[in-house]
Amino acid sequence: MKVVTIERWPEAQPRDYRSDLEAGNIVFVPRTPFAFPKESRDFLRSLEFGGGAIHKNIAYRTQSDKVTGIDAGAAEAKRLHDVMRSYSQNVVRFVSELLPQYAAQWKLDYASFRPVEEHGRDLPLNKRNDLIHTDAFPSRPTKGDLILRVFTNIHPEKKRVWITADPFRIVAEKYACDAGLTNIAESVDSTAGRLKNASARLLQSVGVPVVPRSAYDSFMLHFHEYLKRNTDFQANTRKYEFEFPPDSTWMCFTDVVPHSVKAGQHAVEQTFIISRVSLADPSSAPLAILEQICGKPLAA
Ligand code: SIN
Ligand code: FE
């Protein structure tokens, strides 16, 4: 895997970056190519996360235009909302110009602010981001669509350092069966599996917050943790290290690119759910790769 750099934006010669991303590469812009005022960056970095009204997980929900992770009455709530909304809008505009074919069908997911130094964080295994993993969202199954994440490093001096591994196809061919792909594929298709999903849908329809999951989503959620727990994979997989300097922006499919963050503080991020039918090569989607490995439909 590699980094594909966009030296200048807009580019003289527009280019389709879909294949680069779908192959498991990172698209990198050394200087953030959209407006992100210094005062907004300073404001985000000045927030105090000492267990008061502001929490460590700040998210901006694009669909409902709401910020979570801060008490509504907090003095900084209005400004934080403005700054997160403006980041989200600006990054969305940039990415829709960069990847118009994706933009035609994508679903905007959350934006987030990551205020904590990543080096030496003490978190439970499943939440640790210093262990290499592919992303999957417990509360937002994608049914085979892909997770594209765009990050901006707003720390004035520190780089954000990532370790990545070979893309999903290579990792899945080696580990998906050991991780239980066949069982998961069969259990969702079984009578018990169908019943479980039918009752989840019923409960959901009357407002109970349960999440019906396709076999694909069950597997991806499990694989996230499986990779984190797999000491052979963590120690021996081929690794690539990337340093993202202050004021840079970068993006990749975080379900295609196994990744971890080794160090860095103060990043902002926007997530997009990319429809798999808008891929330049739909057979490069993790869903297609897994279906090929197990020979069963996983998101029917
Ligand atoms: C992750 O998605 O695992 C963390 C990436 C980051 O915050 O740099
Ligand atoms: Fe991740």
Short mmCIF file of all heavy atoms in Angstrom, two decimals, residues 44 47-61 66-71 80 84 110-116 118 121 123-124 127-129 140 149 160 267 269:
data_model
loop_
_atom_site.label_atom_id
_atom_site.label_comp_id
_atom_site.label_asym_id
_atom_site.label_seq_id
_atom_site.Cartn_x
_atom_site.Cartn_y
_atom_site.Cartn_z
N LEU A 44 -10.82 24.65 19.17
CA LEU A 44 -10.96 23.20 19.45
C LEU A 44 -9.86 22.74 20.40
O LEU A 44 -10.10 22.00 21.35
CB LEU A 44 -10.90 22.40 18.14
CG LEU A 44 -12.12 22.49 17.22
CD1 LEU A 44 -11.86 21.75 15.91
CD2 LEU A 44 -13.38 21.93 17.90
N LEU A 47 -10.29 23.53 24.24
CA LEU A 47 -11.35 22.93 25.06
C LEU A 47 -10.74 22.06 26.16
O LEU A 47 -9.74 21.38 25.95
CB LEU A 47 -12.27 22.07 24.18
CG LEU A 47 -13.09 22.85 23.14
CD1 LEU A 47 -13.78 21.89 22.19
CD2 LEU A 47 -14.11 23.77 23.82
N GLU A 48 -11.39 22.09 27.31
CA GLU A 48 -10.84 21.32 28.45
C GLU A 48 -11.67 20.06 28.67
O GLU A 48 -12.87 20.13 28.87
CB GLU A 48 -10.85 22.19 29.69
CG GLU A 48 -10.02 23.43 29.44
CD GLU A 48 -9.20 23.87 30.62
OE1 GLU A 48 -9.29 23.20 31.68
OE2 GLU A 48 -8.47 24.86 30.47
N PHE A 49 -10.96 18.93 28.64
CA PHE A 49 -11.64 17.64 28.73
C PHE A 49 -11.37 17.00 30.09
O PHE A 49 -10.97 15.85 30.18
CB PHE A 49 -11.17 16.72 27.61
CG PHE A 49 -11.55 17.25 26.26
CD1 PHE A 49 -10.71 18.14 25.59
CD2 PHE A 49 -12.74 16.91 25.67
CE1 PHE A 49 -11.06 18.65 24.36
CE2 PHE A 49 -13.10 17.43 24.43
CZ PHE A 49 -12.27 18.31 23.77
N GLY A 50 -11.54 17.76 31.13
CA GLY A 50 -11.18 17.25 32.46
C GLY A 50 -12.34 16.60 33.20
O GLY A 50 -12.37 16.62 34.42
N GLY A 51 -13.29 15.99 32.47
CA GLY A 51 -14.39 15.31 33.14
C GLY A 51 -15.54 16.25 33.48
O GLY A 51 -16.42 15.92 34.24
N GLY A 52 -15.55 17.44 32.89
CA GLY A 52 -16.64 18.40 33.13
C GLY A 52 -17.72 18.28 32.08
O GLY A 52 -18.18 17.18 31.76
N ALA A 53 -18.10 19.40 31.51
CA ALA A 53 -19.23 19.43 30.57
C ALA A 53 -18.86 18.95 29.17
O ALA A 53 -19.71 18.73 28.33
CB ALA A 53 -19.78 20.85 30.49
N ILE A 54 -17.54 18.81 28.92
CA ILE A 54 -17.11 18.41 27.59
C ILE A 54 -16.45 17.03 27.67
O ILE A 54 -15.56 16.80 28.47
CB ILE A 54 -16.11 19.44 27.01
CG1 ILE A 54 -16.65 20.86 27.18
CG2 ILE A 54 -15.84 19.16 25.54
CD1 ILE A 54 -15.70 21.96 26.77
N HIS A 55 -16.92 16.12 26.82
CA HIS A 55 -16.45 14.74 26.88
C HIS A 55 -15.40 14.48 25.81
O HIS A 55 -15.23 15.29 24.90
CB HIS A 55 -17.64 13.79 26.74
CG HIS A 55 -18.77 14.20 27.65
ND1 HIS A 55 -18.85 13.77 28.94
CD2 HIS A 55 -19.80 15.06 27.45
CE1 HIS A 55 -19.92 14.35 29.52
NE2 HIS A 55 -20.51 15.13 28.62
N LYS A 56 -14.73 13.32 25.92
CA LYS A 56 -13.63 13.06 24.99
C LYS A 56 -14.10 12.66 23.61
O LYS A 56 -13.33 12.68 22.66
CB LYS A 56 -12.72 11.97 25.57
CG LYS A 56 -11.84 12.52 26.68
CD LYS A 56 -10.99 11.42 27.28
CE LYS A 56 -10.40 11.89 28.60
NZ LYS A 56 -10.14 10.76 29.50
N ASN A 57 -15.38 12.26 23.52
CA ASN A 57 -15.90 11.89 22.19
C ASN A 57 -16.86 12.95 21.70
O ASN A 57 -18.04 12.92 22.01
CB ASN A 57 -16.63 10.54 22.25
CG ASN A 57 -15.69 9.43 22.64
OD1 ASN A 57 -14.55 9.40 22.18
ND2 ASN A 57 -16.14 8.54 23.50
N ILE A 58 -16.33 13.88 20.94
CA ILE A 58 -17.17 14.93 20.36
C ILE A 58 -17.56 14.48 18.96
O ILE A 58 -16.69 14.17 18.14
CB ILE A 58 -16.38 16.24 20.23
CG1 ILE A 58 -15.91 16.74 21.60
CG2 ILE A 58 -17.18 17.30 19.47
CD1 ILE A 58 -16.91 17.49 22.38
N ALA A 59 -18.86 14.42 18.70
CA ALA A 59 -19.28 14.05 17.34
C ALA A 59 -20.25 15.10 16.82
O ALA A 59 -21.01 15.71 17.59
CB ALA A 59 -19.94 12.68 17.34
N TYR A 60 -20.21 15.30 15.52
CA TYR A 60 -21.19 16.18 14.87
C TYR A 60 -22.04 15.29 13.98
O TYR A 60 -21.52 14.61 13.09
CB TYR A 60 -20.49 17.26 14.04
CG TYR A 60 -21.47 18.05 13.21
CD1 TYR A 60 -22.42 18.88 13.82
CD2 TYR A 60 -21.47 17.95 11.82
CE1 TYR A 60 -23.35 19.58 13.05
CE2 TYR A 60 -22.40 18.66 11.05
CZ TYR A 60 -23.34 19.46 11.68
OH TYR A 60 -24.25 20.14 10.94
N ARG A 61 -23.35 15.28 14.25
CA ARG A 61 -24.25 14.43 13.47
C ARG A 61 -24.79 15.26 12.32
O ARG A 61 -25.65 16.12 12.51
CB ARG A 61 -25.37 13.91 14.36
CG ARG A 61 -24.80 13.13 15.52
CD ARG A 61 -25.85 12.34 16.26
NE ARG A 61 -25.20 11.52 17.26
CZ ARG A 61 -25.74 10.42 17.78
NH1 ARG A 61 -26.93 10.03 17.41
NH2 ARG A 61 -25.07 9.71 18.67
N LYS A 66 -26.56 18.14 14.93
CA LYS A 66 -26.39 18.20 16.39
C LYS A 66 -24.98 17.76 16.79
O LYS A 66 -24.41 16.87 16.16
CB LYS A 66 -27.37 17.24 17.07
CG LYS A 66 -28.79 17.74 17.07
CD LYS A 66 -29.58 17.18 18.27
CE LYS A 66 -30.82 17.99 18.54
NZ LYS A 66 -31.72 18.10 17.37
N VAL A 67 -24.47 18.39 17.85
CA VAL A 67 -23.19 17.95 18.40
C VAL A 67 -23.46 17.13 19.65
O VAL A 67 -24.27 17.51 20.49
CB VAL A 67 -22.30 19.16 18.76
CG1 VAL A 67 -21.09 18.72 19.57
CG2 VAL A 67 -21.84 19.88 17.50
N THR A 68 -22.79 15.98 19.76
CA THR A 68 -22.89 15.19 20.99
C THR A 68 -21.53 15.20 21.68
O THR A 68 -20.51 15.42 21.03
CB THR A 68 -23.29 13.73 20.70
OG1 THR A 68 -22.36 13.20 19.75
CG2 THR A 68 -24.70 13.64 20.12
N GLY A 69 -21.52 14.99 22.98
CA GLY A 69 -20.27 14.97 23.72
C GLY A 69 -20.03 16.26 24.49
O GLY A 69 -18.97 16.45 25.07
N ILE A 70 -21.01 17.15 24.50
CA ILE A 70 -20.89 18.37 25.30
C ILE A 70 -22.26 18.64 25.92
O ILE A 70 -23.29 18.43 25.26
CB ILE A 70 -20.43 19.57 24.44
CG1 ILE A 70 -20.22 20.83 25.32
CG2 ILE A 70 -21.40 19.87 23.29
CD1 ILE A 70 -19.46 21.95 24.62
N ASP A 71 -22.28 19.05 27.18
CA ASP A 71 -23.56 19.34 27.83
C ASP A 71 -24.18 20.57 27.15
O ASP A 71 -23.47 21.54 26.86
CB ASP A 71 -23.35 19.60 29.33
CG ASP A 71 -22.82 18.35 30.04
OD1 ASP A 71 -22.77 17.28 29.38
OD2 ASP A 71 -22.43 18.45 31.22
N LEU A 80 -18.78 25.43 19.54
CA LEU A 80 -18.35 24.09 19.12
C LEU A 80 -19.23 23.59 17.97
O LEU A 80 -18.75 23.03 16.98
CB LEU A 80 -18.41 23.12 20.31
CG LEU A 80 -17.99 21.68 20.02
CD1 LEU A 80 -16.54 21.61 19.53
CD2 LEU A 80 -18.16 20.79 21.25
N MET A 84 -17.76 22.69 14.28
CA MET A 84 -17.88 21.33 13.75
C MET A 84 -18.74 21.32 12.47
O MET A 84 -18.42 20.63 11.50
CB MET A 84 -18.48 20.38 14.79
CG MET A 84 -17.59 20.07 15.98
SD MET A 84 -15.97 19.37 15.54
CE MET A 84 -16.45 17.75 14.93
N TYR A 110 -21.11 10.69 10.71
CA TYR A 110 -20.71 11.71 11.68
C TYR A 110 -19.35 12.32 11.33
O TYR A 110 -18.54 11.72 10.65
CB TYR A 110 -20.60 11.09 13.08
CG TYR A 110 -21.84 10.41 13.58
CD1 TYR A 110 -21.75 9.53 14.66
CD2 TYR A 110 -23.09 10.62 13.00
CE1 TYR A 110 -22.88 8.88 15.15
CE2 TYR A 110 -24.22 9.99 13.49
CZ TYR A 110 -24.11 9.11 14.56
OH TYR A 110 -25.22 8.48 15.04
N ALA A 111 -19.15 13.52 11.87
CA ALA A 111 -17.80 14.07 11.97
C ALA A 111 -17.38 13.94 13.43
O ALA A 111 -18.23 13.83 14.32
CB ALA A 111 -17.79 15.53 11.54
N SER A 112 -16.07 13.94 13.69
CA SER A 112 -15.64 13.83 15.08
C SER A 112 -14.41 14.68 15.34
O SER A 112 -13.68 15.02 14.42
CB SER A 112 -15.32 12.36 15.42
OG SER A 112 -14.18 11.93 14.69
N PHE A 113 -14.22 15.01 16.61
CA PHE A 113 -13.01 15.69 17.04
C PHE A 113 -12.29 14.77 18.01
O PHE A 113 -12.90 14.22 18.93
CB PHE A 113 -13.37 17.03 17.71
CG PHE A 113 -12.18 17.71 18.33
CD1 PHE A 113 -10.98 17.82 17.64
CD2 PHE A 113 -12.26 18.25 19.61
CE1 PHE A 113 -9.87 18.44 18.20
CE2 PHE A 113 -11.15 18.88 20.18
CZ PHE A 113 -9.96 18.97 19.47
N ARG A 114 -10.99 14.54 17.80
CA ARG A 114 -10.20 13.61 18.61
C ARG A 114 -9.13 14.39 19.38
O ARG A 114 -8.06 14.66 18.86
CB ARG A 114 -9.57 12.57 17.69
CG ARG A 114 -10.65 11.75 17.00
CD ARG A 114 -10.26 11.19 15.66
NE ARG A 114 -11.43 10.56 15.07
CZ ARG A 114 -11.52 9.26 14.78
NH1 ARG A 114 -10.49 8.47 14.97
NH2 ARG A 114 -12.63 8.78 14.27
N PRO A 115 -9.47 14.77 20.62
CA PRO A 115 -8.63 15.71 21.36
C PRO A 115 -7.48 15.07 22.15
O PRO A 115 -6.61 15.79 22.62
CB PRO A 115 -9.62 16.35 22.33
CG PRO A 115 -10.62 15.28 22.60
CD PRO A 115 -10.72 14.46 21.35
N VAL A 116 -7.50 13.74 22.29
CA VAL A 116 -6.59 13.11 23.26
C VAL A 116 -5.31 12.63 22.58
O VAL A 116 -5.36 12.09 21.47
CB VAL A 116 -7.31 11.91 23.92
CG1 VAL A 116 -6.42 11.23 24.94
CG2 VAL A 116 -8.60 12.36 24.58
N GLU A 118 -2.77 10.21 21.42
CA GLU A 118 -3.02 8.78 21.18
C GLU A 118 -1.91 7.90 21.75
O GLU A 118 -2.13 6.73 22.03
CB GLU A 118 -3.15 8.52 19.68
CG GLU A 118 -4.35 9.21 19.02
CD GLU A 118 -5.70 8.67 19.46
OE1 GLU A 118 -5.76 7.54 19.99
OE2 GLU A 118 -6.70 9.41 19.28
N ARG A 121 -2.40 5.78 25.37
CA ARG A 121 -3.76 5.84 25.92
C ARG A 121 -4.10 4.52 26.58
O ARG A 121 -3.77 3.47 26.08
CB ARG A 121 -4.80 6.09 24.82
CG ARG A 121 -4.99 7.54 24.52
CD ARG A 121 -6.06 7.70 23.47
NE ARG A 121 -7.39 7.84 24.08
CZ ARG A 121 -8.47 8.20 23.39
NH1 ARG A 121 -8.40 8.40 22.09
NH2 ARG A 121 -9.62 8.33 24.00
N LEU A 123 -6.92 2.20 27.24
CA LEU A 123 -8.31 1.92 26.88
C LEU A 123 -8.54 0.41 26.87
O LEU A 123 -7.60 -0.36 26.69
CB LEU A 123 -8.61 2.46 25.47
CG LEU A 123 -8.67 3.99 25.30
CD1 LEU A 123 -8.67 4.36 23.83
CD2 LEU A 123 -9.89 4.56 26.00
N PRO A 124 -9.82 -0.04 27.05
CA PRO A 124 -10.10 -1.47 26.90
C PRO A 124 -9.76 -1.93 25.48
O PRO A 124 -9.83 -1.13 24.54
CB PRO A 124 -11.60 -1.58 27.17
CG PRO A 124 -12.13 -0.19 27.18
CD PRO A 124 -10.99 0.75 27.39
N LYS A 127 -11.52 -0.90 22.29
CA LYS A 127 -11.51 0.53 21.95
C LYS A 127 -10.10 1.02 21.60
O LYS A 127 -9.93 2.18 21.21
CB LYS A 127 -12.05 1.35 23.13
CG LYS A 127 -13.53 1.13 23.41
CD LYS A 127 -14.14 2.39 24.01
CE LYS A 127 -15.63 2.48 23.78
NZ LYS A 127 -16.41 1.62 24.67
N ARG A 128 -9.12 0.15 21.77
CA ARG A 128 -7.74 0.60 21.52
C ARG A 128 -7.52 0.85 20.04
O ARG A 128 -7.79 0.00 19.20
CB ARG A 128 -6.75 -0.46 22.03
CG ARG A 128 -6.49 -0.32 23.52
CD ARG A 128 -5.57 -1.37 24.03
NE ARG A 128 -4.25 -1.34 23.40
CZ ARG A 128 -3.30 -2.23 23.65
NH1 ARG A 128 -3.51 -3.19 24.53
NH2 ARG A 128 -2.14 -2.15 23.04
N ASN A 129 -7.00 2.02 19.70
CA ASN A 129 -6.74 2.35 18.30
C ASN A 129 -5.27 2.22 17.95
O ASN A 129 -4.87 2.51 16.83
CB ASN A 129 -7.26 3.75 17.98
CG ASN A 129 -8.76 3.75 17.77
OD1 ASN A 129 -9.35 2.70 17.48
ND2 ASN A 129 -9.39 4.89 17.95
N ARG A 140 -24.29 1.35 13.37
CA ARG A 140 -24.66 1.75 12.01
C ARG A 140 -24.15 0.74 10.99
O ARG A 140 -23.15 0.98 10.32
CB ARG A 140 -24.09 3.14 11.69
CG ARG A 140 -24.90 4.24 12.31
CD ARG A 140 -24.15 5.28 13.11
NE ARG A 140 -22.94 5.85 12.63
CZ ARG A 140 -21.83 5.91 13.39
NH1 ARG A 140 -21.81 5.33 14.59
NH2 ARG A 140 -20.77 6.50 12.95
N ARG A 149 -13.12 7.63 5.48
CA ARG A 149 -12.90 8.64 6.53
C ARG A 149 -11.83 9.62 6.09
O ARG A 149 -10.80 9.23 5.54
CB ARG A 149 -12.48 7.97 7.83
CG ARG A 149 -13.56 7.04 8.34
CD ARG A 149 -13.26 6.50 9.72
NE ARG A 149 -14.24 7.00 10.66
CZ ARG A 149 -14.44 6.50 11.87
NH1 ARG A 149 -13.67 5.52 12.32
NH2 ARG A 149 -15.36 6.99 12.65
N ARG A 160 0.60 13.18 13.19
CA ARG A 160 -0.23 12.03 13.57
C ARG A 160 0.40 10.82 12.88
O ARG A 160 0.64 10.86 11.67
CB ARG A 160 -1.68 12.23 13.14
CG ARG A 160 -2.65 11.34 13.91
CD ARG A 160 -4.08 11.79 13.71
NE ARG A 160 -5.02 11.07 14.55
CZ ARG A 160 -5.37 11.42 15.78
NH1 ARG A 160 -4.85 12.49 16.34
NH2 ARG A 160 -6.25 10.70 16.48
N ALA A 267 -7.10 15.78 16.08
CA ALA A 267 -7.49 15.55 14.69
C ALA A 267 -9.01 15.72 14.58
O ALA A 267 -9.74 15.46 15.54
CB ALA A 267 -7.09 14.17 14.23
N GLU A 269 -12.31 14.76 11.91
CA GLU A 269 -12.56 13.68 10.94
C GLU A 269 -14.01 13.73 10.49
O GLU A 269 -14.90 14.08 11.26
CB GLU A 269 -12.24 12.36 11.66
CG GLU A 269 -12.60 11.09 10.96
CD GLU A 269 -13.99 10.59 11.31
OE1 GLU A 269 -14.57 10.99 12.34
OE2 GLU A 269 -14.51 9.78 10.53
#
